[in-house]
Amino acid sequence: MMMKSRTVPLQSLHPLKWDLGLPDNFEKLLIPKYPNYFQFVKALNGVTCLRLVQWQEEFAVSALQRSNESKEMGNKYEQFKKGQTTLAFPMRFPRGYGAQKKVRAWMEEFQKLPYISPYEDSRQIDPNSELMEKRVVGVLHELLSLTIHKKTKRNYLRSLREQLILPHKEGYQQGKLVNPHPLARLRDKFYHVMRTGLVYRNKGANMIPEDILLNDVEDETGPHESEGECETGDDCYVETSEIEEV
């Protein structure tokens, strides 16, 4: 129900079956019992997928919405349903981290952004906006709430990014930083010198390979993106306790 096409490849579900509490052969034992909910279809590339047959509105309520609805919140949740307020994610910071004023100020503004249910169509939201960031947090929060131990490996979600409309922008591309910090450039040059063992002394920069010299033009214009899959410290994606396990 969170997928934009209401369809998910079976091969993407298999790595998640342990975390979701599904039996090994769920596609043979479980799915056929609910023909009114699911059906098997073939994608254009020949991959077998599971498709939602009928939308069930009662299931399109996120864990965050349910937890707020069940709490004694006076009329706050009613205000949220009327669009008059928003929902905040429960958060706990490591000791000392949450005490930083800038962090708290940013989080307070982030929490005030409208809550976008992971079951709502979000294709019209600006992918570069803070609203989309909050929507992504909501999707990951909901996915984790569906798992047995409230965590999973981020690698298991890679094949679902497009269907879940999760961002592909990441920090690394083809093993290199997409937008390197000036200090990172200097560290790379220092590493090259230490690795090769060159001593430049009187000959100066003439011995330094041209490809590692400072490039003022590139520094001013920024690095150029190249085609291919981005890998960020793929660590953009959460676990909750640490995104190593989303």
Side-chain angles (χ1 to χ4, degrees), residues 11 14 30 77 83 85 98 123 167 174-175 192 214 220 233 239:
Q11 63 187 23
H14 276 285
L30 193 61
Y77 190 71
T85 184
R123 284 175 287 186
Q174 298 179 351
H192 175 82
L214 287 174
E220 292 176 2
E239 190 201 49

Side-chain angles (χ1 to χ4, degrees), residues 20-31:
L20 293 174
L22 298 174
D24 286 338
N25 51 351
F26 68 90
E27 66 272 26
K28 295 181 179 179
L29 293 180
L30 193 61
I31 303 303

